[in-house]
Amino acid sequence: MPDIIAFGSDHAGLALRAEAVRVATAAGFQVEDLGPFSTESVDYPDVAALVGQAVAEGRARLGVLVCGTGIGMSIAANKVKGVRAAHCTTEYEARMARAHNDANVLCVGERVIGLGLGGAVVAAFLSQPFEGGRHQRRVDKISALDR
Ligand code: RB5
């Protein structure tokens, strides 16, 4: 699988998405920015589907989605088979989402955490590996719920 991180947002997440792309690029990750590229209003499920499918189909290893709260993106992305999307508001949650849940999509809310904390949450998510071990069995049980 290519070591690419896919990014997307709605109109309420444009600035934090730009910061997330900056943080990922500075950390050496290969970035696929799926937009949008104007300030026009867009529906977050459309972008969640784009990023979720990129991850589920193996075109990206991880995804990052930004909306106003992070909630709508996480609800929508988790409808894509193979996606384990985690809505995180702290660096601890972001690390645990990777380490224990093998989350493959991070959802964050620009209106909730802003750019400073948001960038740190993204950096924590991207740098934390899955721990495997006992957590693999539980993740396998999550995958078994996909149908
Ligand atoms: C857009 O106004 C807002 O509803 C959206 O960005 C997000 O917060 C939804 O969960």
Side-chain angles (χ1 to χ4, degrees), residues 33-48:
D33 191 352
L34 297 177
F37 300 100
S38 88
T39 55
E40 302 224 338
S41 179
V42 294
D43 295 338
Y44 59 81
D46 297 335
V47 184

Side-chain angles (χ1 to χ4, degrees), residues 10-13 41-42 44 66-75 109 111:
D10 71 358
H11 52 282
S41 179
V42 294
Y44 59 81
V66 190
C67 64
T69 61
I71 295 170
M73 285 294 196
S74 64
I75 293 171
R111 292 172 179 164

Side-chain angles (χ1 to χ4, degrees), residues 27-106:
F29 293 99
Q30 204 178 326
V31 162
E32 177 92 50
D33 191 352
L34 297 177
F37 300 100
S38 88
T39 55
E40 302 224 338
S41 179
V42 294
D43 295 338
Y44 59 81
D46 297 335
V47 184
L50 277 182
V51 170
Q53 285 159 4
V55 171
E57 293 168 10
R59 288 179 279 116
R61 183 172 63 88
L62 297 172
V64 176
L65 285 164
V66 190
C67 64
T69 61
I71 295 170
M73 285 294 196
S74 64
I75 293 171
N78 275 314
K79 299 289 185 188
V80 179
K81 188 173 176 180
V83 166
R84 291 180 297 280
H87 174 216
C88 298
T89 58
T90 65
E91 292 171 75
Y92 176 77
E93 290 171 303
R95 282 197 306 275
M96 289 303 103
R98 288 289 305 128
H100 288 193
N101 311 117
D102 199 17
N104 51 16
V105 174
L106 170 70

